Amino acid sequence: MSGPIRLAVIGMGKIARDQHLPSIAGNPDFELVATVSRHGEGEPDTPFFHSIEELAASDVKVDAVALCTPPQVRRAIALAAIERGWHVFLEKPPGATLAEVEALNEAAAAKGVTLFASWHSRFAAGVEPARAWLADKAIARATITWREDVRVWHPGQDWIWQPGGFGVFDPGINALSIATCILPRPFFVEEAELDVPENRAAPIAARVSFRDAAGVPIAMDLDLRQEGPQSWDIVVETAAGTLTLAKGGGELTLPQGAAAPPASDLEGEYPGLYARFAALVREGRSDVDVAPLRHVADAFLRGRITQVEPFID
């Protein structure tokens, strides 16, 4: 494909406006040609539609779409795009179930278009250096602490509490996307405790115990009720010392004191995602890694559910 990739963004919520639109504007490989949302408004001087069907019926030329909708409705929209020969960028999590993501991957392959299941936290500044450092280390244990205030990061987003909305695993899957990237061996859920508010269908907190293929324990603590300082940390203890990834992977500290430059919020992650998507489209390839989603599914399969006090947003 020569020239910019003509891209439409579908789902104009907070993440689309805060991260996707600036990253698209800063990447010459893309041209934003439309936005689509059931509610709200589009961007100035950019065609706006209320559905993918309206977009397809228009005279706007589209090569690819970025889906920023809640995961519960994403499969049908993605499939409609694939059937039209459009390349598809899936915001995380890539779908509400493993089966639907696998079906989309098969559909994309049959149609010859790119499907990209994006994991933005893997593009944080400290993640790749952490993976490289851990590759030959003897790991003793790992601890994942992901505690944030849902009122700050998901204000008024009721979908997160619905079946298929993931609850605390919506941010928690970011931690799992990093862990599955940096840890050198596969790991598995042994047990999980899920705290579900009595007025909600998805957990507000979870404790998950994993063990890797060599028997190394990995503990994960997730909570959406954190006030004050937020915690997005992964600590890996090794025979060579302790590695710490803080700020969602943006800040790396190694035993010898070397560290990746600190980053704030999601700076740099989404530009990296769009660079990756452009490369995949131009190379005619897909990238659909479901390992983080599989761990979430396993946590629900093996989880003991405890009902806790109601959550009022």
Side-chain angles (χ1 to χ4, degrees), residues 129-139 182-185 238-240:
R131 185 204 62 77
W133 190 83
L134 287 169
D136 61 352
K137 300 298 185 295
I139 298 173
I182 67 172
L183 295 176
R185 291 182 295 269
T238 80

Side-chain angles (χ1 to χ4, degrees), residues 14-88:
K14 177 177 172 59
I15 198 68
R17 296 188 182 279
D18 290 353
Q19 299 298 333
H20 287 260
L21 295 186
S23 298
I24 294 164
N27 190 324
D29 277 321
F30 292 98
E31 176 190 358
L32 181 67
V33 296
T35 60
V36 179
S37 186
R38 290 183 300 173
H39 309 289
E41 299 177 350
E43 292 294 289
D45 303 317
T46 302
F48 174 71
F49 303 92
H50 290 287
S51 69
I52 191 171
E53 289 77 19
E54 284 188 13
L55 171 62
S58 75
D59 59 0
V60 175
K61 302 301 182 183
V62 176
D63 301 312
V65 295
L67 301 192
C68 306
T69 66
Q72 296 98 321
V73 300
R74 199 171 293 158
R75 184 198 65 81
I77 300 171
L79 186 58
I82 290 168
E83 288 175 345
R84 289 172 170 83
W86 297 345
H87 308 288
V88 177

Side-chain angles (χ1 to χ4, degrees), residues 180-193:
T180 52
C181 177
I182 67 172
L183 295 176
R185 291 182 295 269
F187 53 92
F188 315 95
V189 176
E190 289 197 322
E191 59 184 35
E193 299 176 3

Side-chain angles (χ1 to χ4, degrees), residues 190-240:
E190 289 197 322
E191 59 184 35
E193 299 176 3
L194 312 180
D195 295 343
V196 179
E198 63 181 39
N199 63 333
R200 304 290 182 172
I204 197 168
R207 280 81 52 204
V208 186
S209 298
F210 303 89
R211 198 169 295 273
D212 80 1
V216 172
I218 302 164
M220 183 166 71
D221 175 29
L222 309 176
D223 204 315
L224 285 176
R225 299 167 295 192
Q226 180 80 1
E227 297 181 359
Q230 312 283 280
S231 300
W232 302 291
D233 305 321
I234 298 177
V235 177
V236 184
E237 299 175 43
T238 80

